[in-house]
């Protein structure tokens, strides 16, 4: 059947390709015609000469593989695989171009809070509420090694050379928030790892919530519950630099640019901000009317994507429109909102952009992952008007 706009919709079900725990589907209306895209233009600064067109996103692919809310989603470095984790203890991996599920990583006995993938798509690390950090083989789903801690693992991240993994364990039950750095043994099948961390320290003051390696060896960026952003030397455990007023509330997400020279953070203070990695100076601020859970940078285009929404416990008393459950596109330079994409039936918890900038994915409190591929008009647009930028 051919729908409006040249889209071919296959209505038969190939049960051999479906999994018992989830499925993938394209959204279409009952009559088979193309649904109006859930994105609309907003007034922009006159000098930007640009706003989102209605046809800049293809119909989203809806990934249904989780039974509870999403906690984090990540593309691998090539962008052909999308990894997702949630409160249902399961990690899924999907083909990003069509949303087909490739497999699952099962073994955690609590909410999987965080995941990261190395640059070769060989190893996956995950942190969970079962107080475990796990190392997985991406290709076959085998758990290679398990580190156990006194409290939950809230954030994990690979270094740029894939040699190290940093993790944050939660402050709870008399235990301090601890940041640990493990040196991975990449020889052999990956099952022989050191149980003890290479470096370990506890940040003084507000507990850390997010972290990432910088381009400088032994230096990591951390975001904190108080809204502070800091640089730590992992060898000595000392705080090299901080910006106490980077945010006014808990930092919920931190994502680096491709060259790690700047990064974007989101916060419950309803703002997302771009910071300089070396000085921690705030370069740009994007202010919304809702608490933010995630922020991501679009490669090759001057956009920042942010998502959040009213707290889940209050959602039942709020309409979708008032809840602000949209992915918002902001112009990175002009700090002006240029578009919104609706679709989730609850707060957006996590956003990831394809490394090539061809698509993005969002994971929500509703348990769905939505993958949006950009159409050709998105790449032809002139976000700086007639101004031509030189590389």
């Amino acid at each position: 059947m051919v729908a409006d706009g040249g889209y071919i919709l296959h209505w038969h079900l190939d049960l051999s390709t479906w999994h018992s725990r989830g499925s993938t589907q394209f959204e279409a209306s009952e009559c088979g015609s193309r649904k109006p895209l859930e994105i609309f233009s907003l007034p922009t600064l006159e000098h930007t000469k640009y706003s989102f067109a209605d046809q800049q996103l293809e119909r989203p692919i809806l990934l249904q593989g989780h039974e509870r809310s999403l906690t984090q989603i990540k593309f691998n470095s090539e962008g052909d695989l999308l990894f997702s984790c949630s409160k249902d203890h399961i990690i899924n991996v999907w083909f990003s171009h069509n949303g087909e599920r490739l497999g699952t990583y099962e073994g955690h006995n609590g909410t999987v809070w965080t995941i990261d993938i190395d640059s070769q798509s060989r190893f996956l690390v995950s942190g969970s509420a079962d107080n475990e950090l796990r190392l997985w083989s991406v290709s076959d789903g085998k758990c290679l090694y398990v580190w156990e801690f006194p409290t939950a693992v809230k954030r994990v991240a690979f270094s740029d050379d894939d040699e190290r993994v940093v993790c944050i364990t939660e402050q709870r039950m008399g235990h301090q928030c601890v940041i640990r750095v493990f040196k991975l043994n990449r020889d052999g099948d990956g099952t022989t790892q050191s149980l003890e961390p290479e470096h370990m320290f506890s940040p003084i003051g507000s507990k850390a919530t997010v972290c990432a390696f910088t381009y400088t060896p032994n230096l990591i960026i951390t975001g904190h519950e108080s809204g502070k952003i800091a640089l730590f030397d992992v060898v000595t455990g000392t705080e090299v630099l901080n910006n106490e007023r980077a945010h006014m509330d808990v930092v919920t997400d931190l994502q680096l640019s491709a060259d790690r020279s700047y990064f974007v953070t989101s916060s419950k203070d309803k703002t997302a901000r771009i910071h300089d990695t070396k000085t921690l100076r705030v370069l740009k601020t994007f202010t919304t009317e809702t608490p933010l859970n995630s922020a991501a940078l679009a490669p090759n285009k001057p956009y920042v994507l942010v998502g959040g929404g009213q707290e889940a416990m209050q959602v039942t008393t709020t309409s979708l429109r008032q809840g602000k459950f949209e992915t918002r596109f902001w112009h990175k330079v002009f700090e002006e909102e240029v578009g919104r994409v609706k679709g989730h039936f609850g707060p957006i918890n996590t956003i990831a952009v394809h490394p090539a900038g061809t698509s993005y994915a969002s994971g929500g409190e509703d348990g769905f992952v939505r993958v949006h591929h950009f159409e050709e008009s998105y790449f032809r647009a002139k976000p700086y008007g007639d101004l031509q930028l030189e590389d």
Side-chain angles (χ1 to χ4, degrees):
M1 177 179 179
V2 179
D4 295 343
Y7 281 73
I8 300 176
L9 304 178
H10 300 283
W11 294 103
H12 69 279
L13 298 180
D14 182 3
L15 296 179
S16 64
T17 64
W18 277 45
H19 303 268
S20 60
R21 296 185 66 90
S23 62
T24 302
Q25 67 182 43
F26 288 85
E27 292 190 338
S29 60
E30 292 180 359
C31 62
S33 62
R34 186 180 181 183
K35 290 175 67 175
L37 288 168
E38 298 166 326
I39 187 168
F40 56 89
S41 300
L42 292 175
T44 59
L45 290 175
E46 187 176 344
H47 58 262
T48 68
K49 299 182 180 177
Y50 176 75
S51 62
F52 262 77
D54 286 343
Q55 303 297 322
Q56 290 193 349
L57 287 173
E58 295 181 3
R59 183 185 299 109
I61 306 172
L62 195 64
L63 309 186
Q64 302 180 80
H66 292 285
E67 297 171 357
R68 295 189 63 194
S69 56
L70 273 295
T71 51
Q72 193 173 14
I73 55 176
K74 278 230 167 183
F75 285 94
N76 66 342
S77 58
E78 290 84 13
D80 59 330
L81 299 178
L82 176 65
F83 296 80
S84 62
C85 62
S86 85
K87 293 182 178 180
D88 64 5
H89 313 175
I90 302 296
I91 304 167
N92 283 323
V93 57
W94 317 78
F95 286 115
S96 62
H97 68 285
N98 64 1
E100 180 184 346
R101 188 165 69 169
L102 181 58
T104 62
Y105 303 85
E106 299 193 33
H108 280 297
N109 293 310
T111 295
V112 184
W113 289 115
T114 174
I115 51 174
D116 199 14
I117 309 95
D118 69 5
S119 63
Q120 301 172 22
S121 300
R122 180 186 173 194
F123 292 138
L124 165 74
V125 288
S126 61
S128 170
D130 61 8
N131 305 348
E132 291 180 349
L133 169 69
R134 285 180 177 248
L135 179 69
W136 308 82
S137 169
V138 169
S139 59
D140 59 14
K142 179 183 176 184
C143 181
L144 304 175
Y145 200 82
V146 180
W147 291 270
E148 294 186 8
F149 308 110
T151 58
V153 181
K154 298 294 284 188
R155 192 74 167 195
V156 297
F158 273 102
S159 60
D160 56 349
D161 61 3
D162 299 332
E163 296 290 331
R164 293 173 171 178
V165 170
V166 61
C167 75
I168 296 175
T169 52
E170 197 172 23
Q171 177 181 323
R172 182 166 288 185
M173 298 180 295
H175 295 279
Q176 292 295 312
C177 169
V178 179
I179 297 176
R180 296 174 175 88
V181 176
F182 293 91
K183 186 172 178 61
L184 288 187
N185 176 14
R186 301 184 65 86
D187 298 329
D189 60 1
T191 56
T192 306
Q193 302 293 338
S194 172
L195 185 64
E196 297 301 317
E198 184 182 32
H199 305 294
M200 172 177 164
F201 63 94
S202 294
I204 298 173
S206 176
K207 71 177 184 182
T209 54
V210 292
C211 64
F213 281 96
T214 68
Y215 52 72
T216 305
N218 299 321
L219 210 60
I220 63 168
I221 317 167
T222 57
H224 295 254
E225 193 175 47
S226 65
K228 177 177 79 171
I229 299 290
L231 286 174
F232 280 91
D233 184 323
V234 297
V235 177
T236 63
T238 56
E239 189 176 284
V240 178
L241 189 66
N242 71 61
N243 183 349
E244 292 281 356
R245 299 182 63 81
H247 285 285
M248 298 296 106
D249 206 341
V250 56
V251 180
T252 53
D253 196 11
L254 185 156
Q255 297 192 31
L256 290 153
S257 64
D259 63 0
R260 300 184 183 235
S261 63
Y262 64 96
F263 60 96
V264 64
T265 57
S266 62
S267 171
K268 293 293 185 183
D269 68 1
K270 304 181 181 181
T271 67
R273 288 185 163 145
I274 292 178
H275 314 255
D276 180 85
T277 303
K278 190 173 183 179
T279 65
L280 300 186
R281 185 167 62 93
V282 175
L283 303 176
K284 298 291 177 180
T285 300
F286 313 98
T287 305
T288 68
E289 318 88 54
T290 184
L292 296 179
N293 297 326
S294 190
L297 297 161
N300 309 321
K301 287 288 183 183
Y303 303 130
V304 172
L305 286 68
V306 302
Q310 191 180 33
E311 293 295 337
M313 67 181 72
Q314 301 170 348
V315 167
T316 53
T317 60
T318 309
S319 71
L320 287 178
R321 185 78 187 109
Q322 291 175 323
K324 313 290 185 187
F325 309 138
E326 303 129 331
T327 301
R328 301 178 175 210
F329 286 70
W330 289 75
H331 198 292
K332 188 165 64 177
V333 178
F334 299 134
E335 300 173 293
E336 192 73 12
E337 188 175 354
V338 295
R340 298 182 188 179
V341 182
K342 295 187 290 184
H344 285 286
F345 294 94
I348 294 172
N349 292 337
T350 175
I351 296 175
V353 182
H354 191 288
T358 56
S359 63
Y360 84 92
S362 57
E365 191 73 21
D366 55 10
F368 295 121
V369 178
R370 298 171 68 89
V371 181
H372 297 262
H373 290 271
F374 297 114
E375 291 193 341
E376 189 60 33
S377 57
Y378 171 84
F379 304 102
R380 290 198 307 265
K382 296 180 178 180
Y384 294 104
D386 294 328
L387 181 65
Q388 296 296 320
L389 297 184
E390 295 182 2
D391 294 332

